[in-house]
Amino acid sequence: MIDAIIIFTFILAGAGTGFHGIDFLPPEAIANLNIQNLRWVTLGVGSVVGLIAGLIVQNTYRRIETNIRSMPLETILGRAVGLVFGLLVANLMLAPLFLIPIPDNFDFIKPLTAILVSIIFAYSGMTLSDTHGRALLRLINPNNVESSLLADGTLRTASAKVLDTSTVIDGRIQTLMETGFLEGQLLIPHFVIQELQTIADSSNDQKRVRGRRGLDILNNMRDQFSDRITIHSADYEDLHTVDAKLVRLAQELSCTLITNDYNLNKVANLQQVEVLNINDLAQALRPTYLPGDLIEIKVLKEGKEASQGIGYLEDGTMVVIEEGREYLGKQIIVIVTSALQTSAGRMIFARHEAIATV
């Protein structure tokens, strides 16, 4: 609604300026013209100019609104106080200026100087508040330990996270939230929900199942963590891919992007966007097995060598068991002999405990 009001107001202002602006033209310049027709022409031109100006102002307003909504409360309060102090200092400095006698031909200097000084000091006050504004927390509540730590810069607030489509479909993000290891607000862009809906409506059975799974996970997370999940309405018509929109949104809001997409991870890093990759987290959390460690595992299939057996850990790591073919289908305890990290993943080599101790 506010967008329509802004645009309509500028169109009216442009039309009115064009229609009545004829009255300010020199009479000799319009002596041979049809005044009424000229008014309608300038009205149309003024309306077009007003429409363009209205769209620019409306877009600027939305960007400012988005930035303000993403700001921490202490930043907003600090900048507001800095703005007030800056204007106060500017007015105190300008008071002597208006007492100086100035010739009538130079009367414009006073209001021009007042405007420039006010803008400079207002901007300076807001800029300084970003550096020293946190110290105001001590004045507001000096007994609050968290406020003191924030003011010192020792404690930092958790940044908001933007989820991409692959992360939602993957589902492990819900488990991370349930365990409490993931902090901050989670933003689900509207264009990600649209992509999930498109996948859920696909004619391909596998894609349709994945899309519906993603929508179900979003609904469950919204029910469990309603205070932390926010559906963000931002969209970028000049960008045609969801990945590009995600990077732009993370840049504008200074958020962290959570993804499982390797290529999106690289593109975001190139554009200096902080990225959390759940696959990297899962890889880092895999247990480390050293030679001599015991593992209880089920032998599932035969290995490449004549006597080898193959089993898998819960995280998918393959365990090659020497002399393990005779235990096919059985749950046994093996001793790790070595481990190998390959481009396809990690492999562990082991022997049956009874054989290893002989």
Side-chain angles (χ1 to χ4, degrees), residues 243-303:
D243 288 357
K245 293 179 180 181
L246 284 166
V247 173
R248 173 78 66 80
L249 180 62
Q251 285 177 324
E252 289 188 352
L253 301 184
S254 299
C255 292
T256 301
L257 178 61
I258 300 183
T259 182
N260 286 333
D261 190 323
Y262 178 81
N263 293 326
L264 176 57
N265 192 338
K266 291 297 182 184
V267 171
N269 283 329
L270 284 174
Q271 301 190 47
Q272 297 182 340
V273 173
E274 186 176 355
V275 182
L276 295 178
N277 192 314
I278 295 182
N279 288 334
D280 291 343
L281 176 63
Q283 185 73 23
L285 291 178
R286 285 184 175 181
T288 302
Y289 292 99
L290 301 175
D293 290 345
L294 299 178
I295 302 176
E296 184 176 355
I297 194 169
K298 184 175 182 179
V299 184
L300 298 177
K301 61 180 183 180
E302 299 176 354

Side-chain angles (χ1 to χ4, degrees), residues 162-205:
V162 180
L163 303 185
D164 79 331
T165 310
S166 64
T167 302
V168 176
I169 293 176
D170 178 83
R172 287 177 290 180
I173 188 71
Q174 183 177 0
T175 306
L176 277 175
M177 293 189 69
E178 290 172 350
T179 56
F181 281 100
L182 192 63
E183 297 181 334
Q185 201 76 8
L186 265 64
L187 304 182
I188 316 295
H190 187 65
F191 51 81
V192 168
I193 298 178
Q194 288 180 328
E195 186 179 36
L196 284 172
Q197 184 178 0
T198 302
I199 297 174
D201 293 336
S202 173
S203 58
N204 186 292
D205 291 340

Side-chain angles (χ1 to χ4, degrees), residues 6-20 43 46-47 49-50:
I6 293 173
I7 295 173
F8 187 68
T9 300
F10 272 85
I11 292 175
L12 283 180
T17 302
F19 188 83
H20 294 288
L43 182 145
S47 299
V49 173

Side-chain angles (χ1 to χ4, degrees), residues 222-350:
R222 190 75 184 269
D223 293 339
Q224 284 184 266
F225 311 100
S226 57
D227 58 330
R228 295 183 57 193
I229 302 295
T230 302
I231 306 299
H232 202 285
S233 60
D235 200 356
Y236 306 97
E237 296 181 358
D238 57 320
L239 301 177
H240 304 293
T241 63
V242 173
D243 288 357
K245 293 179 180 181
L246 284 166
V247 173
R248 173 78 66 80
L249 180 62
Q251 285 177 324
E252 289 188 352
L253 301 184
S254 299
C255 292
T256 301
L257 178 61
I258 300 183
T259 182
N260 286 333
D261 190 323
Y262 178 81
N263 293 326
L264 176 57
N265 192 338
K266 291 297 182 184
V267 171
N269 283 329
L270 284 174
Q271 301 190 47
Q272 297 182 340
V273 173
E274 186 176 355
V275 182
L276 295 178
N277 192 314
I278 295 182
N279 288 334
D280 291 343
L281 176 63
Q283 185 73 23
L285 291 178
R286 285 184 175 181
T288 302
Y289 292 99
L290 301 175
D293 290 345
L294 299 178
I295 302 176
E296 184 176 355
I297 194 169
K298 184 175 182 179
V299 184
L300 298 177
K301 61 180 183 180
E302 299 176 354
K304 291 183 179 180
E305 301 297 331
S307 61
Q308 286 180 343
I310 303 293
Y312 294 92
L313 300 178
E314 291 183 358
D315 59 9
T317 302
M318 184 171 70
V319 180
V320 180
I321 307 165
E322 299 177 24
E323 308 295 335
R325 179 171 296 188
E326 59 183 288
Y327 303 102
L328 192 64
K330 297 180 180 179
Q331 193 86 8
I332 61 175
I333 296 177
V334 297
I335 297 179
V336 176
T337 57
S338 62
L340 176 66
Q341 183 69 42
T342 68
S343 59
R346 183 176 54 167
M347 293 177 59
I348 294 176
F349 296 90

